[in-house]
Amino acid sequence: MTPQELLKQLYDDTLVGNGPAVLELTHTGLAMNLGPEALLYEALIPALEEVGARFERGDFFVPEMLIAGKAMAGALEVLRPLLAETGAESIGTVVMGTVKGDVHDIGKNLVNIMFEGAGFQVIDLGVQVAPEKFVDAVREHSPDIIGFSAFLTTTMPMFKANINALAKAGLRDQVIVMVGGAPVTQEYADVVGADGYAADASAAVVRAKELLQRRRRAALPA
Ligand code: B1M
């Protein structure tokens, strides 16, 4: 099998949610020296985009979306240590969670992996995280950054609810708020009063580092 054939097969098997085949192809791809980024960006993510497109057209339903998501999650576990390979000391702490009402976590988990790879310590609160849980986590861990993920237009308003909860607890100024997720835009992030937005996991790392550097510089004595 050529690398191109493997990527095509991985795409096809992810699309139909064939978990065992996706796992095997992921291992085979790595053994063939296909990098984890190639497997991710040239097969796994495009397959899930196609799953979403088919769901929108009414060709796929929730069960198909679920098994494709599970197949992708299995591959992500194999790729995690490779994507997150770092010997560096922690450059900051990030608390991450998918907002209340939302169970999507593949995108959040990928952001976590990239953050870990960049040297951040990541505390993952999981999915369906209520505002008070985010507040408690900020109190407990004093993170540099808190990240909210939302993947549904109906759950995006939870960003504002979370930010309001942080403000009410007197914690809003102590932490950088970043938001992201498939339907989120820079404009929406601005409207809700987030400090940063990123469209994907790599951009999230770049933005997080920028925001952190800016905050640390501002804290230095003049
Ligand atoms: Co759902 N789903 N889903 N789903 N699902 C979407 C999101 C949808 C776009 C599909 C579609 O219609 N085209 C649509 C949302 C439409 C909308 O609101 N605009 C949708 C829907 C409607 C639903 C349900 C309502 C369906 C139903 O029940 N009728 C339901 C909702 C359940 C709920 O949450 N309450 C539902 C359920 C599910 C499953 C459980 C079956 C499954 C989730 C499995 C899981 O996550 N464990 C699922 C899946 C798999 C999808 C699609 C197909 C794939 C999502 C994914 O993993 N993408 C998705 C279609 C799509 O996105 N094209 C869809 C790959 C991932 C790597 O990308 O998630 O965008 P993404 O993450 C990126 C960026 O967003 C960014 O970086 C990530 C990595 O690069 N990012 C950040 C994420 N968080 C960030 C945070 C940051 C910065 C960047 O800073 C803090």
Side-chain angles (χ1 to χ4, degrees):
M1 197 186 277
T2 67
Q4 246 5 75
E5 283 166 350
L6 184 133
L7 290 170
K8 171 77 173 68
Q9 194 59 46
L10 183 57
Y11 172 93
D12 289 344
D13 281 321
T14 309
L15 188 59
V16 297
N18 185 348
V22 167
L23 263 189
E24 198 185 320
L25 286 165
T26 302
H27 285 295
T28 311
L30 292 172
M32 283 169 74
N33 278 334
L34 272 166
E37 286 87 1
L39 299 171
L40 200 55
Y41 294 108
E42 291 174 41
L44 296 163
I45 291 181
L48 278 204
E49 279 166 4
E50 179 57 20
V51 170
R54 290 188 185 190
F55 177 78
E56 253 173 62
R57 291 200 302 267
D59 295 336
F60 269 17
F61 299 94
V62 174
E64 281 96 343
M65 218 155 58
L66 191 59
I67 56 166
K70 278 199 176 140
M72 161 91 175
L76 214 51
E77 278 314 301
V78 176
L79 300 181
R80 173 184 281 270
L82 301 168
L83 291 164
E85 238 164 37
T86 172
E89 266 178 47
S90 172
I91 57 168
T93 303
V94 185
V95 164
M96 280 283 293
T98 298
V99 299
K100 187 174 171 182
D102 201 323
V103 303
H104 295 86
D105 67 354
I106 297 168
K108 166 186 68 65
N109 294 345
L110 193 51
V111 174
N112 288 348
I113 291 172
M114 292 308 204
F115 272 145
E116 283 167 6
F120 285 95
Q121 187 202 347
V122 177
I123 295 151
D124 182 9
L125 303 182
V127 297
Q128 305 233 52
V129 182
E132 49 280 17
K133 217 171 152 196
F134 280 117
V135 168
D136 289 347
V138 172
R139 280 212 186 93
E140 187 183 341
H141 303 288
S142 304
D144 301 286
I145 298 172
I146 189 150
F148 306 138
S149 294
F151 303 91
L152 300 167
T153 42
T154 49
T155 56
M156 282 162 54
M158 287 311 297
F159 291 157
K160 188 71 194 156
N162 292 340
I163 290 172
N164 286 345
L166 287 173
K168 203 169 161 207
L171 298 168
R172 175 64 186 94
D173 296 336
Q174 292 177 30
V175 67
I176 295 166
V177 173
M178 281 190 68
V179 296
V184 184
T185 60
Q186 179 67 59
E187 290 67 35
Y188 192 79
D190 293 341
V191 168
V192 296
D195 300 309
Y197 156 79
D200 59 43
S202 311
V205 168
V206 173
R207 190 77 185 110
K209 283 184 176 170
E210 274 170 16
L211 290 164
L212 197 54
Q213 209 173 35
R214 197 185 300 164
R215 174 156 299 208
R216 286 180 177 162
R217 261 203 222 113
L220 288 175

